[in-house]
Amino acid sequence: MSARILDGKAIAARLRARLAERVAALPFRPGLRVVRVGDDPASGVYVRNKDRAAQEVGFDSATIHLPADTTEAALLATIAALNADAAVDGILVQLPLPPQIRAEAAIAAVDPAKDVDGFHPLNAGRLAAGQPGLVPCTPRGVMHILAESGVALRGARAVVLGRSQIVGRPMAQLLLGADCTVTVAHSRTRDIAAECRRAEVLVAAVGRPEMVRGDWIAPGAVVVDVGINRLADGRLVGDVAFAEACAVAGAITPVPGGVGPMTIACLLENTLEAALARRGT
């Protein structure tokens, strides 16, 4: 078996094109502000990609770059000013933050109506309750990939590998909402490989390079690899051993070019939805 490749890059491009058409028809430009603290190199690349993508679809987008020694109080004051700015529809605080700033304090300070990362406790609670709200971008991107690739989810056995607040837990909630039977596996799961082999849909989000081997995957399963890890030789790999998985799986996302582009596209989608909701549209 040679797995079908689920091209997240192409799906993201189509989503951005649809968003650009919707933005062009609006009498205003949705406003997105990214707050970056310090000079983490990976964050710098990611923020530049966000800015470029936002401007390409017609947003009013800018990054507020604060020095690495910024205090928590100063960051919270910046967020408060953005909350009060009527021209700003979406606020994203780029993680990780320097050690003197609590990430949970920064996330909780963002107006839930402008929380385009979907991390605020109110939005997390809405997702858990099955209510409308802003959803974390990476899990939302995974759902786009599955939908556009024609993956049947109703009644499917889904396993989410990882339980983070950013990906694992919201991913499980979204799959439950799509009528999957969901198992969340993590570092304390007994016989984790056996749990993964039960999955018809496997979402790997643990941040460990090539942890999921080919013999962890059921024949014909759909594998979504959320991980992106840089090896010592400079190569980027996911949480799944791609070549091994391709010999077993029915479909798989590549790394890079799979989930990553969808995360940014769904950030833009969240921002547009926040902008329309704030204006009662």
Side-chain angles (χ1 to χ4, degrees):
M1 179 181 296
S2 181
R4 173 167 63 108
I5 304 301
L6 305 181
D7 189 347
K9 187 175 181 180
I11 295 170
R14 292 195 292 271
L15 176 55
R16 292 196 307 272
R18 293 195 298 270
L19 294 172
E21 288 180 2
R22 294 174 65 190
V23 171
L26 295 175
F28 65 92
R29 296 176 67 202
L32 173 64
R33 298 293 180 270
V34 177
V35 182
R36 179 185 174 204
V37 185
D39 297 297
D40 178 77
S43 291
V45 173
Y46 194 41
V47 166
R48 285 193 297 274
N49 289 340
K50 289 174 181 176
D51 263 344
R52 182 170 62 251
Q55 289 165 11
E56 285 174 356
V57 300
F59 286 7
D60 168 20
S61 175
T63 295
I64 299 167
H65 191 180
L66 303 175
D69 60 356
T70 297
T71 64
E72 183 176 294
L75 174 59
L76 297 185
T78 299
I79 294 170
L82 295 173
N83 286 340
D85 189 340
V88 175
D89 298 297
I91 302 168
L92 183 151
V93 179
Q94 181 66 36
L95 303 177
L97 291 167
Q100 73 274 14
I101 301 174
R102 295 169 298 152
E104 61 271 21
I107 290 166
V110 176
D111 180 348
K114 298 185 178 187
D115 167 41
V116 291
D117 250 342
F119 295 162
H120 191 282
L122 182 59
N123 285 322
R126 285 172 174 157
L127 177 59
Q131 298 175 359
L134 292 167
V135 175
C137 304
T138 298
R140 183 170 189 168
V142 171
M143 297 304 288
H144 269 296
I145 289 173
L146 295 173
E148 291 217 17
S149 302
V151 177
L153 294 178
R154 180 169 293 177
R157 294 188 303 276
V159 172
V160 178
L161 187 54
R163 55 178 169 175
S164 73
Q165 299 287 352
I166 294 172
V167 180
R169 293 174 193 239
M171 188 75 252
Q173 296 291 345
L174 289 172
L175 289 167
L176 276 173
D179 297 324
C180 291
T181 299
V182 181
T183 298
V184 178
H186 48 79
S187 60
R188 298 294 181 266
T189 298
R190 291 193 294 270
D191 200 351
I192 197 168
E195 291 294 339
C196 291
R197 277 193 293 270
R198 296 176 59 245
E200 296 169 275
V201 177
L202 174 62
V203 180
V206 287
R208 292 180 59 185
E210 300 180 327
M211 173 179 171
V212 178
R213 313 307 302 188
D215 62 1
W216 290 31
I217 297 166
V222 176
V223 179
V224 179
D225 191 350
V226 177
I228 184 160
N229 311 280
R230 189 172 295 280
L231 301 182
D233 61 8
R235 287 185 300 124
L236 287 176
V237 300
D239 292 347
V240 178
F242 184 77
E244 293 178 20
C246 280
V248 183
I252 189 169
T253 59
V255 176
V259 175
M262 290 303 305
T263 298
I264 292 178
C266 288
L267 168 67
L268 305 180
E269 188 175 38
N270 275 353
T271 303
L272 178 56
E273 289 187 1
L276 296 175
R278 291 184 61 242
R279 292 164 176 79
T281 304

